Amino acid sequence: MAEDVLILGNKRFSSRLFTGTGKFASKTLIAPMLAASGSQMITVALRRVDPTADQGNILAHIPETVTLLPNTSGARTADEAVRIARIARAAGCGDFIKIEVITDMQYLMPDNHETLKACRILAKEGFVVLPYVMPDITVTQQLYDAGAAAVMPLGSPIGSNRGLEMRAMIQRIIEVSKLPVVVDAGIGRPSQAAEAMEMGADAVLVNTAIATSEDPCLAGKAFSLAVMAGRMAFLASLAGTRKGATASSPLTGFLRE
Amino acid sequence: MRINLNGSPVETTSRSLSDLVAEQGLNPLSLIVEYNYEVVKQASWGEIHIKDNDTIELLNFVGGG
């Protein structure tokens, strides 16, 4: 099989499992998780300093070979997302940015309208824009026109581990999108990651399920294998289901004539 | 001198951004300083003289998904 890489911006990713740095019991688990999972891109967030909290630098726990994907979490408008993105880049985090604009505090559903506005601005400024969106075909096309590098529809609410509740819409987006599709949020089990990849997603982003497991290294590895298995199954174009049986062994008699 | 620090009005005697970071007792290694909506690199913190009504954000990267 030819080398199967995902190209985003000017970078090539052989691992289609993107990870996140949130919710780890200890930051020291992040580097071993990255090594175990082979993930080549990981999200970070930007916050006002809390003088009473641990000020250890999370970036110090991420190997330089791994691409940083700062997110704009906390942004409630396009302007706030743009500001966070510019700060992250000025702070040396590179050109990748996950746009995340949320005003719905119950389900943390993204605001597609503000996200699209931010994408238009940031793509023009040379960012590699990965927008986190509610699955929507029209918005997917508009994000393509706006210069996004990928589209990241949610599987289910952030941190919910509910898997692909948006399955049907994600399937349609995969079918029509001219952008790579990265299923982000809600993937709670390796089988759900595999399912997304079998459907033809280009990558998945998993944070909570890995970070909050009892063994993030083992969980990271399990997700990595699931993503690879799902990807291979997609590339192999598995046959569809049937109503009845079709024999996989010859039905002629063996001992009987 | 009164500045807007991380969204709140704060009285400070700090003359430069370096002084302010020290006054706040923050670890400069992981700190990002935004001065009137522009990020200032650590090497230049000493050269920025704080004025009345400046807007300053002291930020750092944290875990997030």
Side-chain angles (χ1 to χ4, degrees):
Chain A
M1 194 173 89
E3 195 189 9
D4 178 37
V5 295
L6 173 60
I7 297 173
L8 296 172
N10 58 357
K11 295 205 175 177
R12 296 160 64 85
F13 298 90
S14 54
S15 167
R16 291 168 181 269
L17 172 64
F18 302 155
T19 49
T21 55
K23 301 184 189 172
F24 280 86
S26 163
K27 288 198 265 288
T28 59
L29 292 166
I30 294 171
M33 182 283 293
L34 286 167
S37 68
S39 175
Q40 295 166 322
M41 178 142 66
I42 192 161
T43 57
V44 292
L46 190 63
R47 279 294 174 279
R48 284 173 169 159
V49 289
D50 175 359
T52 63
D54 165 27
Q55 290 173 46
N57 186 3
I58 194 132
L59 303 187
H61 296 273
I62 303 171
E64 286 188 2
T65 50
V66 175
T67 298
L68 293 172
L69 180 61
N71 68 33
T72 66
S73 67
R76 289 164 170 261
T77 64
D79 287 345
E80 288 175 4
V82 167
R83 184 177 173 200
I84 294 168
R86 287 172 180 161
I87 292 171
R89 181 157 75 175
C93 255
D95 293 329
F96 281 67
I97 190 77
K98 169 179 166 178
I99 302 182
E100 183 177 330
V101 182
I102 291 173
T103 54
D104 161 36
M105 287 302 130
Q106 185 171 1
Y107 290 109
L108 303 180
M109 289 292 136
D111 181 330
N112 281 3
H113 179 69
E114 291 294 309
T115 301
L116 179 59
K117 270 166 62 181
C119 180
R120 287 195 178 113
I121 295 166
L122 292 171
K124 281 201 189 85
E125 294 182 12
F127 283 89
V128 179
V129 180
L130 285 78
Y132 170 62
V133 291
M134 182 65 108
D136 181 308
I137 285 179
T138 307
V139 167
T140 300
Q141 179 60 42
Q142 289 167 332
L143 287 168
Y144 172 80
D145 294 337
V151 59
M152 300 211 294
L154 63 100
S156 52
I158 294 171
S160 69
N161 294 334
R162 295 174 68 90
L164 304 182
E165 289 187 336
M166 301 289 169
R167 180 182 295 99
M169 281 311 301
I170 289 173
Q171 183 81 70
R172 291 171 195 136
I173 285 171
I174 290 169
E175 186 189 326
V176 304
S177 176
K178 295 177 203 149
L179 294 170
V181 177
V182 182
V183 178
D184 182 7
I187 294 181
R189 295 175 172 278
S191 53
Q192 295 161 351
E195 185 185 3
M197 298 304 295
E198 281 177 33
M199 282 163 54
D202 293 278
V204 298
L205 199 163
V206 181
N207 182 2
T208 299
I210 293 173
T212 63
S213 69
E214 289 202 6
D215 186 339
C217 286
L218 196 56
K221 178 91 177 168
F223 273 99
S224 164
L225 293 170
V227 166
M228 282 193 265
R231 176 66 181 172
M232 285 179 201
F234 170 73
L235 293 175
S237 299
L238 298 181
T241 54
R242 294 164 190 267
K243 189 172 177 218
T246 61
S248 44
S249 304
L251 288 179
T252 49
F254 173 49
L255 295 174
R256 280 172 284 133
E257 286 301 316
Chain B
M1 194 159 41
R2 199 174 177 82
I3 59 171
N4 188 328
L5 182 64
N6 282 4
S8 302
V10 168
E11 283 292 332
T12 181
T13 55
S14 297
R15 297 167 61 103
S16 69
L17 292 178
S18 308
D19 293 347
L20 181 70
V21 170
E23 183 188 74
Q24 297 292 317
L26 298 172
N27 173 8
L29 279 179
S30 57
L31 197 65
I32 298 158
V33 179
E34 194 198 36
Y35 175 75
N36 293 336
Y37 303 96
E38 294 285 338
V39 172
V40 179
K41 295 225 183 303
Q42 194 178 341
S44 306
W45 290 353
E47 300 158 20
I48 302 282
H49 298 287
I50 296 175
K51 307 182 303 294
D52 225 14
N53 293 321
D54 276 346
T55 297
I56 300 170
E57 294 280 345
L58 303 177
L59 313 160
N60 59 5
F61 283 104
V62 297

